[in-house]
Amino acid sequence: MDGPVTAFSEGPEDPFAVRRSASAVLDDRGAVVGWSERAEALLGYPAEETLGRHAAGLLVEPRDERVVMEAVAACVRGGGWFGVVPLRHRDGRRVEVGCRVRAIVRDGGHREWFLVGAPADEVIQWETDRSVLDGLFGRSPIGLSVHAPDLTILRVNRAIAKFSGMPVEQHRGLRLSDFLIQRDTDTVEGQLREVLETGRSSVFAEQPCVLRRDPGRELVVSVSAFRMHDPAGRILGVTQTIEDVTDRHRARRRLALLNEASARIGTTLDVTETARELARVAAPDLADRVSVDLLEPVTRGEEPLQDMTGPLRRAAVLTVPPEVADLMHPAGRTMDVPPGTVQARCLAERKPVLDSGPQGPAASLSMEPERTGPAPGPDTHSLLVVPLVARGLVLGLLSLWRSRRLEPFEEDDVTLAEEFASRAAVCIDNARRYTQQHQTALTLQHSLLPHTVPRHPAVEVAHLYLPADAAAGVGGDWFDVIPLSGLRVALVVGDVVGHGIHAAATMGRLRAAVHTLANLDLTPDEVLSHLDDLVDRLAAEQEPTDDLSRQVVGATCLYAVYDPVSQHCALARAGHPPPALVTPDGRARLLDLPAGPPLGLGGLPYESAELSLAEGSLLALYTDGLVQAGDRGTDERDVDERVADLCAALTGPARALEETCGAVRAALLYDHPTDDVALLVARTRVLAEEKVTTWELSAEATAAARARSLAASRLTAWGLDELRFTTELIVSELVTNAFRYGGGPITLRLIRDRHLICEVSDTSSTSPHLRRARSTDEGGRGLFLVAQLTERWGTRYTREGKTIWTEQALPAVRQERSPRL
C-alpha cells in the first residue's frame, strides 16, 4: 500500500481522548452535576437544561431503562464500566453512545461518576482496531516486526519470537544480522531500505533464508513491507510481515517439477537421450548431482532378465557445479555393483533407498573404487537411489546426491524422485523396445537392399541411401541396377508406403518381383502393371489393424531400361517423382513422363516414354524423401524449390558420380531426413560400332546357311575362331526356328563384350519351347542343344515380334562349368 501509514493502525484516533470526547459528571444519586460542550454537541442539551436533573429521566427512553439500569448496576459493582448505551437526543431521536464510566471519590468521602462518551460507531471502530493490533502482536501466526528508520527492531510479535527463539522483549534494538546469515541479511535489508526510500510497499516477496541458530535448514519466507508515518507525515520506520511458506514453496516446486518432467522426459525414442533428459530434470532442482545407470542389455535395446543386478552402464551424469563431474564415473563407463552397496540394495529390493544418516552416505560410491573419497564431492550428506522399473523389470538406477543444498532428502523428495523414475522408466523401456524393433527393421532392410551395385558396360552408376531418423522408423525405399539381355540395363527406384518392418518386408517382396519381371524382358509399362497386380494382392492378404480397416499397402516406382547399342531409353513411373536428366553439356532438367497411378490402386494403365540419350548423359532417379526431407514442409512450393535445388546440384561439368551424390546431399540433406532417401545416378555409355554387327536375312531355306557364314567371318575378324563351331550351331538352330515358325524378315545380331551375344529376331510372337526329344523323334532338339552350349539364353518380346538371345563366355573370361545333361 503506497502513501503515508500511521504507526500500528490506520484507524481513527482514540474517541475518548479529552479533545474529542463528550463528558459529564453525575452525583451518587444520578443527577447531572457537570456537562461539557462536546456533550451538548453529541446529545443537543445545553448545560443549563441538564445540570441538577436526573440523567436517567432526561436522557433515557422508557424502553431502554432496563439496559441502562443493568449498566448502572455493573458500574456500581465494579467501580466503573465500559459499553454502549442508547440515549435520547434533545430532538427526540435515539443515539447509540459508547460510554466509559469511572468512579471519583471527592473530599468528604462522597462519590461521583465521571462519564466519557463518543458516537458508538467510532468507539466500536477504535476498539476493533485495537483488537486487531493486539492480535497481530499477541496471537497472529504471521510474523510482524517493526523497524526504526535505521532498521533496528522496535517491536516484534510472538510469531517472530518463534523464528528467532528469543523472548519478544529482547528483540528491541537488535538488527536482522543478529538472526540471519549475512547473505540473507543483505537481501532483506536491501528490500526494507527500498521501501523506506520510495514509499512503495513490497508484497509477498518470497525469500530463502537461513537462521543463525539453525544453519543446517533453509527456510522460504514470504515478506511484505510498508512504510510508517505519523499524522504529520514524518517517517517512523518500516513494518514487515513474515510468513514461513517453506512447505508450500516446496510443494509448488515439486508440482512444477512434475509438470516439467512430463514435458521434458521422453521427447525422443533414444535410450541414452531419455536418460540425459531425466538427469536434466532432476538437477539442480531436486539434487546437486545426478547419475542414471542402466543395465547393459537395456542400452543395447535388449530386455533384461528378471533377476539381473548388473553390470551397469552410466547413461548420464549431471553435477552442479559442472566441474564436480570429474569426481564421478563419466557417461559410457560400465561398472559392477558390489554387494552391500546402496545401489545393490536398491536393485535387490526394487524400492528407493535413502541414505542420509549422521555419517553421510559412506557407501554411496563403493561402485567407484578408484575414487579417493567416499562420495562424489567433499560435502555430500544425503544420497537417494531409486530403481527404474517398467513392466515389472528393473532397467537401472537413478542416483541423487545433495551437498550444496543444506537440507537432506525428505519423504516428499522420495515420492517426487519415484515419480521421475517411473515416468523415465516407461520412456526408457519404450525407447529400448523401439530400438530393438528399429534394429530388427534396419537389419531386414539392409539384408533386402543391394550391398553393391554391379558394374555394367551400359552405364556407370553410383548411389546414395540414407535411412530415416529413429523417430520416423525404417522406410521401404529401394533401388536396383539389373543387367538385361543384349547389354541393356534396368534402373529401378521405388518407395513403399509407411515405415517399419512391414514396409521393409513389402519392399523386399517388390524388389524380388521386379527382378523376376526384369528377367522376363518386359517393357517398363508392363513391369509396372504386373507390380500393380502384386501390390493389390498383398493388400488383400493383410490382416485388419482394427475391426474396420486393413494395413495400408502401396508403393511408387520408376522403371527405366537403357540400351547402349541403340542409345534408346524407355521409362515408366507409377506415382513416383520424375527423374532428372543432365545432358553432356551439363544442363539439368526433369523429364516429362506420364505420371501413372501409384502401385496398388489396381486396373489403371501405365504408359512408357521413350527417348534417345547421348553418350555421357546422366540420369538421376530418387525417392520423394530427397525433395521432402527436413523440416521445411512438403507443400507444393517447397517441393518445387527443392527440385530446383536438385537440378542446380546436378548442373555443371562432368565429374565423378560420387562427387555428384555428395553435392546433392550437401544441397538438400542439411537436416537429417524424416523419410528414407534413395538416389541412383547413372551416366550412359555407348557400345563401340566395331563390337556390334547386324544382318537382315530373308525368310528362305538358305537363311541358316547364310547366317552361319556371316557369323563365322565376323568371329574370325574378332579373333574368336575358338567359338566358331558352337556359334555356327547356335545361329543355325535359331535362324532355322525363325524360318519355320516365324514370319517376315529375320535379323541376326552379334555383340562382343565380356560375352559373345547372339540375337535372332523375327516378327512372330510365338514363344519358343524347350523340350526333351524322344529317341525316335527326328527333331525337337535344337533349343536343348542351344541351352547346353551357352551360359544363358532367353526370349524378349517387342512390338514388332520377339528376339531369342544367347550368351557365351569369351575364352579369356570363360568359367569352368560342369557338364550339362
Side-chain angles (χ1 to χ4, degrees):
M1 182 179 297
D2 298 337
V5 179
T6 58
F8 310 127
S9 174
E10 291 188 353
E13 296 182 53
D14 184 354
F16 296 120
V18 175
R19 63 188 185 89
R20 298 190 59 202
S21 62
S23 61
V25 180
L26 305 181
D27 61 15
D28 201 28
R29 295 170 300 167
V32 178
V33 296
W35 191 258
S36 70
E37 293 181 358
R38 288 196 172 273
E40 178 180 349
L42 177 63
L43 296 175
Y45 297 99
E48 55 271 18
E49 292 185 14
T50 60
L51 292 175
R53 298 182 64 179
H54 197 277
L58 176 65
L59 302 176
V60 179
E61 294 278 358
R63 60 178 177 171
D64 297 324
E65 286 182 356
R66 186 179 62 83
V67 175
V68 173
M69 293 307 296
E70 290 177 354
V72 170
C75 183
V76 171
R77 288 194 305 271
W81 179 82
F82 169 77
V84 176
V85 293
L87 300 178
R88 179 172 57 203
H89 194 274
R90 188 171 184 272
D91 59 12
R93 56 192 173 86
R94 193 165 181 260
V95 178
E96 297 282 344
V97 178
C99 186
R100 178 176 293 168
V101 183
R102 186 177 61 182
I104 301 174
V105 179
R106 297 294 186 181
D107 295 339
H110 68 280
R111 185 171 55 179
E112 293 182 345
W113 302 94
F114 180 67
L115 289 77
V116 180
D121 55 351
E122 292 184 12
V123 174
I124 293 173
Q125 180 63 52
W126 181 71
E127 289 294 334
T128 301
D129 289 349
R130 286 195 57 178
S131 177
V132 169
L133 190 60
D134 290 342
L136 286 175
F137 281 96
R139 295 178 298 278
S140 174
I142 298 176
L144 182 69
S145 63
V146 182
H147 299 260
D150 64 353
L151 299 185
T152 57
I153 297 176
L154 298 176
R155 186 179 181 186
V156 299
N157 67 351
R158 293 181 180 178
I160 293 292
K162 289 182 180 180
F163 271 112
S164 64
M166 295 172 54
V168 171
E169 59 274 9
Q170 293 183 13
H171 287 74
R172 186 174 182 86
L174 299 179
R175 302 186 66 90
L176 291 174
S177 58
D178 294 317
F179 309 102
L180 303 179
I181 64 175
Q182 191 60 46
R183 178 198 65 189
D184 297 334
T185 298
D186 295 340
T187 301
V188 177
E189 287 190 347
Q191 296 173 348
L192 295 180
R193 287 193 183 93
E194 183 178 356
V195 173
L196 279 171
E197 293 170 1
T198 65
R200 291 192 299 269
S201 302
S202 65
V203 180
F204 302 134
E206 289 194 357
Q207 168 67 38
C209 66
V210 178
L211 298 176
R212 290 188 179 277
R213 68 181 181 88
D214 190 8
R217 180 168 179 257
E218 184 177 69
L219 302 175
V220 178
V221 295
S222 175
V223 180
S224 298
F226 58 88
R227 191 167 69 182
M228 300 180 299
H229 300 260
D230 63 11
R234 184 171 58 91
I235 297 175
L236 300 177
V238 61
T239 296
Q240 65 173 346
T241 62
I242 303 170
E243 181 182 6
D244 184 358
V245 295
T246 304
D247 292 339
R248 187 171 67 201
H249 172 79
R250 291 177 180 174
R252 188 169 64 246
R253 186 189 65 187
R254 292 185 181 108
L255 181 59
L257 286 176
L258 283 178
N259 291 334
E260 185 179 6
S262 300
R264 293 178 57 185
I265 297 177
T267 61
T268 69
L269 287 171
D270 182 86
V271 171
T272 302
E273 181 58 30
T274 303
R276 294 194 192 103
E277 291 170 347
L278 172 59
R280 287 193 288 265
V281 168
D285 293 307
L286 183 59
D288 302 319
R289 301 173 183 87
V290 179
S291 68
V292 181
D293 303 312
L294 302 178
L295 293 169
E296 277 203 296
V298 176
T299 62
R300 298 191 298 265
E302 302 170 3
E303 185 158 322
L305 300 177
Q306 286 280 358
D307 57 349
M308 181 171 286
T309 58
L312 297 173
R313 179 180 291 272
R314 181 145 295 175
V317 61
L318 185 62
T319 65
V320 180
E323 54 268 20
V324 180
D326 295 338
L327 301 174
M328 301 181 67
H329 274 312
R333 178 166 295 180
T334 300
M335 302 164 289
D336 291 325
V337 185
T341 63
V342 176
Q343 287 80 4
R345 285 175 51 200
C346 183
L347 286 175
E349 298 174 5
R350 299 191 177 192
K351 63 181 182 180
V353 177
L354 177 59
D355 186 7
S356 56
Q359 301 302 321
S364 63
L365 276 192
S366 56
M367 288 174 54
E368 307 186 22
E370 74 275 18
R371 304 308 184 194
T372 57
D379 301 319
T380 299
H381 58 78
S382 188
L383 167 65
L384 173 61
V385 183
V386 183
L388 300 172
V389 181
R391 297 188 301 113
L393 296 175
V394 176
L395 307 179
L397 298 174
L398 168 65
S399 300
L400 306 168
W401 287 271
R402 279 186 179 175
S403 58
R404 292 166 58 89
R405 298 181 60 160
L406 300 178
E407 67 276 6
F409 289 112
E410 302 173 341
E411 287 303 318
D412 287 340
D413 296 318
V414 176
T415 302
L416 180 62
E418 283 186 291
E419 185 65 27
F420 282 177
S422 175
R423 293 172 186 248
V426 171
C427 295
I428 288 173
D429 189 54
N430 289 339
R432 178 196 63 78
R433 297 169 71 181
Y434 174 80
T435 298
Q436 187 179 42
Q437 295 179 4
H438 185 68
Q439 291 297 332
T440 301
L442 275 178
T443 302
L444 175 62
Q445 182 190 49
H446 291 166
S447 67
L448 296 175
L449 286 172
H451 297 286
T452 59
V453 176
R455 299 181 63 182
H456 198 277
V459 290
E460 177 191 2
V461 295
H463 68 278
L464 172 67
Y465 189 90
L466 292 177
D469 57 27
V474 174
D477 293 17
W478 89 93
F479 63 91
D480 257 315
V481 177
I482 306 174
L484 303 177
S485 63
L487 292 186
R488 296 170 308 125
V489 65
L491 305 174
V492 190
V493 170
D495 184 3
V496 175
V497 173
H499 295 85
I501 293 179
H502 174 73
T506 303
M507 176 268 288
R509 300 177 72 173
L510 292 183
R511 181 169 177 251
V514 170
H515 275 263
T516 301
L517 295 171
N519 288 333
L520 296 176
D521 270 325
L522 301 178
T523 60
D525 56 313
E526 291 176 320
V527 170
L528 295 183
S529 295
H530 285 290
L531 283 179
D532 181 56
D533 293 339
L534 174 61
V535 172
D536 192 45
R537 289 195 298 273
L538 292 178
E541 294 173 0
Q542 300 304 310
E543 296 182 358
T545 55
D546 52 45
D547 294 338
L548 301 176
S549 62
R550 295 180 180 274
Q551 293 180 355
V552 176
V553 179
T556 65
C557 186
L558 173 62
Y559 189 90
V561 176
Y562 173 67
D563 186 344
V565 177
S566 64
Q567 300 177 241
H568 176 270
C569 184
L571 308 95
R573 63 187 180 116
H576 202 83
L581 172 64
V582 184
T583 56
D585 60 2
R587 291 179 296 176
R589 62 181 175 88
L590 292 186
L591 291 179
D592 186 13
L593 303 181
L599 301 175
L601 296 184
L604 299 176
Y606 296 94
E607 183 179 351
S608 292
E610 300 181 359
L611 65 156
S612 181
L613 298 179
E615 184 175 9
S617 298
L618 183 71
L619 278 175
L621 290 69
Y622 54 91
T623 55
D624 59 2
L626 182 66
V627 293
Q628 295 180 352
D631 57 0
R632 292 176 52 183
T634 57
D635 59 48
E636 185 176 350
R637 179 181 59 82
D638 286 338
V639 171
D640 290 343
E641 290 179 359
R642 295 180 70 83
V643 168
D645 293 341
L646 171 63
C647 291
L650 294 172
T651 299
R655 54 191 163 182
L657 295 186
E658 288 75 12
E659 293 181 13
T660 300
C661 291
V664 171
R665 180 173 184 171
L668 283 88
L669 300 179
Y670 37 81
D671 296 323
H672 197 83
T674 56
D675 193 7
D676 284 11
V677 173
L679 171 66
L680 179 66
V681 292
R683 181 174 289 128
T684 62
R685 296 169 175 161
V686 176
L687 199 63
E689 292 183 2
E690 63 271 14
K691 292 187 176 184
V692 182
T693 302
T694 305
W695 299 278
E696 292 287 340
L697 303 175
S698 301
E700 54 188 23
T702 60
R706 177 168 171 74
R708 289 196 299 270
S709 175
L710 292 173
S713 61
R714 175 49 60 183
L715 291 180
T716 299
W718 282 345
L720 299 176
D721 289 327
E722 186 179 344
L723 297 179
R724 280 185 58 178
F725 176 75
T726 56
T727 304
E728 287 181 10
L729 182 57
I730 292 169
V731 168
S732 179
E733 291 295 338
L734 296 182
V735 172
T736 299
N737 282 342
F739 168 69
R740 286 180 178 178
Y741 308 111
I746 301 171
T747 301
L748 170 63
R749 183 166 73 168
L750 295 180
I751 302 174
R752 177 191 176 188
D753 190 62
R754 292 179 56 84
H755 291 76
L756 177 63
I757 300 172
C758 175
E759 297 181 343
V760 175
S761 305
D762 59 51
T763 57
S764 172
S765 298
T766 303
S767 175
H769 178 59
L770 177 65
R771 66 186 180 89
R772 185 179 296 274
R774 294 187 297 269
S775 59
T776 57
D777 291 342
E778 296 183 359
R781 298 177 178 84
L783 287 180
F784 181 78
L785 291 175
V786 169
Q788 300 305 304
L789 296 173
T790 62
E791 284 194 348
R792 294 196 310 150
W793 76 280
T795 305
R796 66 174 181 266
Y797 297 90
T798 64
R799 291 183 178 86
E800 294 78 21
K802 70 175 182 298
T803 297
I804 301 177
W805 55 270
T806 65
E807 288 185 2
Q808 302 174 76
L810 297 183
V813 296
R814 180 178 296 166
Q815 303 293 324
E816 293 293 332
R817 299 166 57 201
S818 60
R820 300 190 185 184
L821 299 178

